[in-house]
Each structure stands twice: as structure tokens, then as C-alpha cells.
Amino acid sequence: MTALTSVSSKGSEYDLIIKNGRVIDGSGRPAFTADVAIKDDRIARIGNLRGARAKRVIDARGQVVAPGFIDMLGQSEQFVLIDPRAMSKVMMGVTTEITGEGESIAPLNDRILKEQEDFNRRFNLTVDWRTLGEYFQRLDKQGAGVNLGTFVGATQVREYVIGYDDRPPTPAELEQMKKLVADAMKDGALGVSTSLQYVPARFAKTDEIVELAKVAHQYGG
């Protein structure tokens, strides 16, 4: 276990010092023994901090000190609203989650919301968003224990426009799908993603995915 020591805040240079840990900084270089100082929620210094003062000191001898882990295939976009602490991720060291594999938290319409009704009722989740931008506003207002980024799901826009029919979109439907992707990209989506092994994603032909990807690319996705 780590040893936590309280130090008088009088004259303290830092808010927190994590000392004697094996630092793995994410650069790929081998671990090295060092102290890490934090001030105003930012890493202020890494090295030998003997003699430096902090409001709190954690002795991490025998343990690893590393940046927060990024979960590149997270699915907590709804759960982080149900329990903003996201403790199941934070306790494993995950500080950032990327979501939106195939399906995504938005866009939503009445048909999709009807399908989610039982889940939302079970967890007492009020859905007050329809677009990705509105979801981010809700998340920002409510707060979350992890950072969250998301793709817009190609599956999601197909469900929104076509539903679960095994057919290609009409030209008008494809344009609607492309607009949904464009709107999501403007709202902050990282790109477009799909998971072709699932229904209805598997009904999409290559040309459909290409057209949606072209839209994402226009916005840097």
C-alpha cells in the first residue's frame, strides 16, 4: 500500500508529490525511479524532489506511476450519466474513454428511444439529448469521472434513417445519413466507425461506408 503523508501547506511548492515510484511516462522508454510533483491539477516537475514541500506526499515505493490509461473501446457513454464517478474505470487507472463503436450515443430519434425505453427506465435515465452536441452539453453540466470522446456510429445513422431493414439506402436516405455524420462531426465526433459483424451494420455495402467516411474526412475524421 502507498503511504500518505500530510505536510503543512505553509510554504508548500506543490499540491502533491508522489515520491519513489517507478515512472512509466508513456513515451516507450524504460521505467525510471523519480518523484512527480503536481500543482493546480497539472504535472509540474518530474525528478529528484528531495527537500521539496507539498500539501500531501504519497510514498509510491515499489509501485508504478503512470499517466491515466485510455480505453479505446469503451461503452460507458450512458453509464457515465447514471454514475458520473465512473468508478469501475477510475479504479483501474482509466482516465479517458473512447466510445462510439458502430452504435453511438447520438443521433437519436423517437424509434431508437423507444427501443432503449426499458434500459432508461431501469436506470432512471432521462434522455434529454438528440444530437451529439446536446449529449456533450449534458455531460459537461453533469460532470464525469473520466474524459470521454466518441465516434459517430455508421450503424447509428443507419438505424436512425433505415432501421433494421436489409437493403441499401435510397439516394435520399444516403444524403440524410451523410448529413447526420456531418452534424456529428461538427459537434465534436472523432470520426465515423462501424462494426460490420452486427445487425444492421452488416447490411451496409462498401460504397455506403465509403460515402460516410468521406464526410468524416472533410472534418478531419
Side-chain angles (χ1 to χ4, degrees):
M1 296 179 63
T2 54
L4 176 62
T5 304
S6 295
V7 178
S8 172
S9 61
K10 184 178 179 180
S12 296
E13 301 174 67
Y14 305 108
D15 298 321
L16 172 67
I17 290 177
I18 305 171
K19 66 179 184 179
N20 301 323
R22 294 178 61 244
V23 175
I24 297 179
D25 61 8
S27 67
R29 64 174 171 169
F32 56 95
T33 300
D35 306 324
V36 179
I38 297 171
K39 186 176 180 61
D40 297 329
D41 290 331
R42 293 183 177 274
I43 295 174
R45 186 178 170 191
I46 299 175
N48 186 341
L49 300 179
R50 185 178 303 167
R53 296 179 61 81
K55 298 174 184 176
R56 291 194 302 157
V57 176
I58 296 175
D59 189 347
R61 191 181 308 274
Q63 300 197 49
V64 169
V65 180
F69 302 133
I70 301 173
D71 183 350
M72 290 297 294
L73 187 56
Q75 296 178 328
S76 300
E77 52 269 76
Q78 290 169 307
F79 292 105
V80 79
L81 297 180
I82 296 166
D83 181 5
R85 300 172 304 164
M87 292 302 289
S88 63
K89 294 301 179 80
V90 172
M91 294 299 289
M92 294 190 293
V94 173
T95 57
T96 299
E97 184 172 300
I98 307 301
T99 71
E101 182 238 1
E103 292 180 326
S104 52
I105 196 68
L108 297 173
N109 58 17
D110 290 343
R111 183 178 65 246
I112 296 174
L113 284 173
K114 185 68 176 177
E115 295 169 359
Q116 298 175 353
E117 197 171 57
D118 289 344
F119 175 91
N120 294 334
R121 185 185 301 111
R122 176 183 178 187
F123 291 100
N124 197 29
L125 176 62
T126 300
V127 179
D128 56 359
W129 68 91
R130 295 295 183 274
T131 68
L132 198 56
E134 291 170 349
Y135 170 77
F136 283 141
Q137 289 175 7
R138 164 75 177 271
L139 190 65
D140 185 57
K141 181 180 179 180
Q142 185 166 319
V146 294
N147 302 303
L148 188 142
T150 185
F151 288 81
V152 57
T155 312
Q156 189 75 17
V157 299
R158 174 172 256 272
E159 289 177 1
Y160 187 107
V161 176
I162 302 173
Y164 288 82
D165 295 346
D166 183 0
R167 63 173 178 83
T170 66
E173 287 172 334
L174 183 58
E175 288 304 310
Q176 185 182 2
M177 293 166 68
K178 290 165 66 175
K179 183 179 185 306
L180 289 170
V181 170
D183 290 343
M185 293 300 299
K186 293 174 186 177
D187 284 344
L190 300 172
V192 65
S193 72
T194 190
S195 49
L196 295 172
Q197 64 188 22
Y198 301 114
V199 173
R202 66 170 59 187
F203 302 147
K205 305 301 182 185
T206 302
D207 290 348
E208 176 184 324
I209 303 301
V210 168
E211 288 303 309
L212 299 182
K214 284 180 180 179
V215 175
H217 178 67
Q218 293 173 9
Y219 298 90

